[in-house]
Amino acid sequence: MLFVALPADAQCAMCRAVLESEEDGAAAEGVNNGIVYLMAFPYLLVGGVGYVIYRMWKKQRPQEN
């Protein structure tokens, strides 16, 4: 499920009303891309912090042979 991406379009009600009145839809696509761009950074930050914690935990653990 993590490797399958489905396209999703989402805006607030005000943005949707303004962007639906546009004919070519270029601004709507730009807003949707901006939402996805802003949504990605919290996941990257949490993943990075998790990786650092994992590395610290792995380093402190005594190695078993």
Side-chain angles (χ1 to χ4, degrees):
M1 187 167 172
L2 294 175
F3 299 108
V4 177
L6 299 174
D9 299 329
Q11 297 115 12
C12 67
M14 294 291 289
C15 295
R16 180 175 295 274
V18 170
L19 295 173
E20 282 180 350
S21 65
E22 190 177 90
E23 291 191 22
D24 63 353
E29 187 176 338
V31 170
N32 286 330
N33 290 340
I35 290 169
V36 171
Y37 176 76
L38 290 172
M39 184 183 71
F41 282 102
Y43 288 103
L44 291 173
L45 288 172
V46 169
V49 169
Y51 178 72
V52 169
I53 291 172
Y54 171 75
R55 293 282 302 213
M56 289 172 50
W57 176 74
K58 187 88 166 165
K59 186 184 261 188
Q60 291 178 353
R61 245 177 108 198
Q63 298 213 352
E64 300 174 11
N65 291 328

